[in-house]
Amino acid sequence: MGRRWGLLRHRLILPCLGLGALALWAGALALEIAHMRADGDEYHLLVVLVLFTGFVLVLFAGFAARRAVIQREQAAAVASHAQTRLSDMAEASSDWLWETGPDHRFTFFTAGAWARYGIDLNDSLGKTRWETSDLTWNPEAWAQHREDIEQRRPFRDFTFRRRMADGGFHYFRTSGKPFFDAGGSFLGYRGTGADVTERKMFDAELATAAAELAKSEGRFRSLVTNIPGVVYRCLIDADWTDIYVSDYSEALTGYPASDLIDKRVRTYASITHPDDREMIGKTVAQAVEQRGPFELDYRILHRDGEVRWVREYAQAVFDADGRPVFLDGIIFDITDRKAFEAALNLAKEQAESANRAKSEFLAVMSHELRTPLNAIIGFSEIVLRETFGPIANKRYRDYVDDIRGSGAHLLELINDILDLSKAEAGQIELVEEPVEVEPLVGACLAMLSPRARQAGVELIAEVAGDLPNLLADERKLRQALLNLITNGIKFTPPEGQVCVRARMAGDSLQIEVADTGIGIAQVDIPKALSPFGQIDSALSRRHAGTGLGLPLTKRLVEAHGAAFSLASEIGDGTTATIEFPPQRLIEPSAGPARHSAAAR
């Protein structure tokens, strides 16, 4: 308000007073001139006119001086306002202003330039930049900065670091230019400074992230390069437009990856076999709908005209709104595998055909051999009974007895071959009826007791009471048990035991034949269960056999829907286990339910 009043006084009141004084003086002068003219005093009139003119000139000079003073005051006010504004802006800015003398020592800093770091401004005034900064950081930049200062060149964005009161470092960026007096003498530098610590940290983190990204990309490229398949990302469109395709594309398709990316030369759909495209589209659509991965085999057309089989594993990628945008996947060449599978299937079909032919041949030959063998055995028994008269020579009786025994043994082998052939051909027919377990086990042991006594082996039966009956083919079940017990007697040394156990195991019925014989190595069990398979051992070689007993037993048991297993160790004997499922068990009161069923 005082400043405005001063301006108003200078601009209005003083000029008005001056004009008023001039008017009074002019009036007085006019009266005086009138008197002088009346008196005729010309000399005094001239003096008065000169004095009046001088007064007017002095008055105008005063007005001019006053105007100059006012203009200077106005300019000073504008300069003060500009200085205040610049000072306010400098204080509010995160940057600051500085100035040095000709000796490069700081003479000025914006107020508060170092206060935010807990550093007294006086600790920097009177010192050079290299006296307050860490010169060990980026020495090459410091050398260039010193050269710029010594050559009095402007510099821009020089970055240095300074240790703070807490012991840590802050990074600063400064720019400056030299200034000179009117005569060209160097007076120092003026410039700006700013704290770039956060940006420096951000740049360091960005550089670290970029290095990690480059490292990760390198690992990814190395991994993709070493994968023997095409890694890709494509759009879900009609052409399967590829966005990324690995370099293995050329090995798989004959076309470089650059041909397929963005459909520059051709599309992947164009090299897919036409007969497979509809199947591929349906598979992908279903996988996208279910949001799951998919796997499929199809054909592609190689550049050299060859048709190749490939296997693709892929999954859709969805955006934030749940819309499918890409397919990510990998494609392998399985042409050789497909050719191998085709050859394997052909070989399998040929083997199965040969096996069926073998089984049919054995079945036919067994029937053909059985008829003459029955005649040999029958006539041998007639001769041994001396039906048509006595045998004069005892040696002939022995020969006839050998003929009958050999014929019976051969017939037994032929029967085994015939049964096994039927089993392999899936022609086992079961005549099912309720079978009591205890009488079945007793009958088998009774039949083999003479052979066990001759071998010095004890036969034991352990049959639990109240066992349910089995719905089974009694003759085939008896044949299976006889085979197992016979094997136990054959491979058990004298004074050993063969035990037949029958008991319930949960809802199933188990029959075990366990011996204390020589045992079988774990690795040889599969061989023992294969047709004609025999395990080399000193004891087994003392007994004749074709190796058909266990395989035939296994098939007879499995024809009943039962499980067959063999457990054994060398020197610890062998245990064969038959486990009948619950559907094969019936109550004793159910009565006979005789019927025939083909085994499957």
Side-chain angles (χ1 to χ4, degrees):
M1 190 68 182
R3 181 169 173 270
R4 290 183 178 180
W5 168 247
L7 289 175
L8 184 63
R9 182 184 60 188
H10 287 303
R11 293 181 179 181
L12 298 177
I13 298 178
L14 291 180
C16 290
L17 291 175
L19 290 174
L22 179 61
L24 291 174
W25 177 259
L29 180 61
L31 290 175
E32 184 64 27
I33 290 174
H35 287 292
M36 286 182 181
R37 281 184 176 177
D39 295 338
D41 191 350
E42 297 293 336
Y43 175 75
H44 286 89
L45 178 60
L46 179 62
V47 171
V48 170
L49 290 173
V50 170
L51 290 175
F52 176 74
T53 302
F55 176 77
V56 171
L57 292 176
V58 170
L59 183 62
F60 276 106
F63 277 116
R66 182 70 255 173
R67 183 175 181 82
V69 170
I70 292 172
Q71 288 177 344
R72 282 198 301 271
E73 288 179 351
Q74 289 176 342
V78 171
S80 176
H81 178 66
Q83 179 66 29
T84 302
R85 180 171 58 190
L86 181 62
S87 177
D88 290 344
M89 292 172 64
E91 291 300 326
S93 173
S94 58
D95 295 3
W96 62 85
L97 307 178
W98 55 266
E99 184 178 279
T100 66
D103 57 355
H104 306 301
R105 297 185 180 276
F106 289 106
T107 58
F108 170 77
F109 278 106
T110 303
W114 298 107
R116 72 190 73 172
Y117 307 107
I119 297 175
D120 189 349
L121 193 62
N122 294 324
D123 290 343
S124 296
L125 291 175
K127 295 181 181 179
T128 63
R129 181 172 290 112
W130 40 87
E131 288 176 335
T132 58
S133 305
D134 177 18
L135 305 182
T136 63
W137 184 77
N138 203 357
E140 294 82 4
W142 272 110
Q144 180 63 46
H145 182 61
R146 282 179 179 272
E147 182 180 342
D148 290 338
I149 294 294
E150 291 170 359
Q151 297 297 323
R152 299 176 182 175
R153 294 192 292 255
F155 58 88
R156 187 172 183 82
D157 295 335
F158 168 64
T159 303
F160 63 96
R161 74 178 186 180
R162 179 172 179 175
R163 188 180 294 276
M164 298 291 102
D166 60 1
F169 286 102
H170 272 243
Y171 295 84
F172 303 95
R173 184 186 63 231
T174 184
S175 299
K177 62 178 295 185
F179 67 98
F180 306 86
D181 62 11
S185 298
F186 174 67
L187 298 181
Y189 270 86
R190 291 172 178 156
T192 61
D195 189 333
V196 293
T197 304
E198 292 185 1
R199 179 173 179 178
K200 201 73 178 174
M201 294 173 62
F202 174 76
D203 289 344
E205 292 174 357
L206 188 62
T208 301
E212 286 295 326
L213 179 61
K215 187 176 179 181
S216 177
E217 287 180 350
R219 286 196 299 264
F220 171 75
R221 292 187 179 277
S222 176
L223 176 65
V224 168
T225 300
N226 292 327
I227 291 177
V230 176
V231 179
Y232 74 88
R233 165 170 279 192
C234 75
L235 298 177
I236 306 177
D237 58 13
D239 294 325
W240 310 115
T241 303
D242 287 300
I243 297 174
Y244 170 81
V245 181
S246 64
D247 294 336
Y248 194 80
S249 169
E250 190 161 5
L252 180 65
T253 67
Y255 300 105
S258 57
D259 279 12
L260 300 172
I261 295 176
D262 294 329
K263 301 189 290 188
R264 291 172 187 166
V265 179
R266 57 185 48 82
T267 66
Y268 189 75
S270 68
I271 63 173
T272 304
H273 197 286
D275 295 343
D276 294 340
R277 291 175 190 169
E278 183 178 356
M279 177 271 296
I280 296 171
K282 289 181 179 179
T283 302
V284 174
Q286 183 178 4
V288 170
E289 182 180 357
Q290 297 176 352
R291 290 177 169 265
F294 66 87
E295 170 188 346
L296 73 162
D297 297 348
Y298 58 91
R299 292 163 292 177
I300 63 170
L301 306 176
H302 193 271
R303 187 174 189 173
D304 60 10
E306 179 186 357
V307 175
R308 292 195 179 181
W309 278 95
V310 297
R311 174 164 294 170
E312 180 175 347
Y313 303 89
Q315 186 165 6
V317 178
F318 299 84
D319 63 13
D321 296 326
R323 293 188 297 264
V325 288
F326 304 119
L327 281 182
D328 287 347
I330 185 168
I331 304 172
F332 295 103
D333 189 340
I334 60 169
T335 305
D336 293 340
R337 184 186 303 177
K338 282 289 185 180
F340 174 76
E341 289 176 356
L344 188 63
N345 289 334
L346 178 61
K348 181 181 178 183
E349 290 175 2
Q350 291 174 344
E352 290 175 348
S353 177
N355 189 55
R356 285 193 299 269
K358 177 208 70 174
S359 299
E360 292 171 1
F361 171 76
L362 288 176
V364 171
M365 289 303 298
S366 297
H367 282 295
E368 294 297 326
L369 290 173
R370 186 178 290 175
T371 300
L373 280 174
N374 284 330
I376 292 171
I377 294 170
F379 286 122
S380 299
E381 290 179 348
I382 290 174
V383 173
L384 285 174
R385 287 198 296 269
E386 299 178 334
T387 303
F388 302 105
I391 300 175
N393 192 325
K394 182 179 179 299
R395 183 172 293 182
Y396 289 145
R397 174 181 285 276
D398 294 337
Y399 289 160
V400 172
D401 188 46
D402 289 340
I403 291 171
R404 185 192 62 79
S406 298
H409 177 64
L410 186 56
L411 181 61
E412 182 181 347
L413 294 180
I414 291 173
N415 286 334
D416 286 346
I417 293 173
L418 179 60
D419 290 339
L420 184 61
S421 300
K422 286 184 176 180
E424 289 183 341
Q427 296 175 357
I428 295 180
E429 285 194 359
L430 300 180
V431 180
E432 297 177 339
E433 58 184 345
V435 178
E436 295 184 39
V437 178
E438 186 173 9
L440 175 65
V441 172
C444 291
L445 294 180
M447 290 176 63
L448 295 174
S449 291
R451 182 178 295 187
R453 284 195 298 271
Q454 184 179 0
V457 175
E458 181 183 5
L459 297 180
I460 301 173
E462 296 180 359
V463 180
D466 299 329
L467 290 178
N469 291 341
L470 286 172
L471 181 61
D473 186 319
E474 185 174 2
R475 187 181 70 82
K476 290 181 173 57
L477 196 54
R478 183 186 299 111
Q479 183 180 358
L481 285 177
L482 288 174
N483 285 342
L484 294 176
I485 298 169
T486 300
N487 270 356
I489 295 171
K490 182 190 297 186
F491 296 109
T492 299
E495 299 183 0
Q497 293 179 345
V498 176
C499 181
V500 182
R501 302 184 184 92
R503 61 177 180 268
M504 292 298 297
D507 294 335
S508 303
L509 190 149
Q510 284 185 350
I511 298 178
E512 288 183 354
V513 178
D515 63 58
T516 59
I518 60 176
I520 307 171
Q522 287 288 333
V523 296
D524 290 332
I525 289 178
K527 184 177 180 181
L529 292 174
S530 63
F532 305 101
Q534 290 185 326
I535 311 302
D536 286 334
S537 72
L539 184 59
S540 67
R541 286 306 180 193
R542 294 204 302 265
H543 302 275
T546 59
L548 295 177
L550 284 177
L552 179 57
T553 299
K554 184 174 184 295
R555 284 167 173 77
L556 291 174
V557 167
E558 290 175 347
H560 287 80
F564 180 80
S565 61
L566 203 63
S568 184
E569 291 287 346
I570 294 293
D572 288 341
T574 302
T575 300
T577 304
I578 304 171
E579 185 168 338
F580 292 93
Q583 56 266 31
R584 281 284 170 182
L585 309 183
I586 57 177
E587 294 300 325
S589 60
R594 186 179 183 86
H595 63 281
S596 175
R600 291 176 174 83

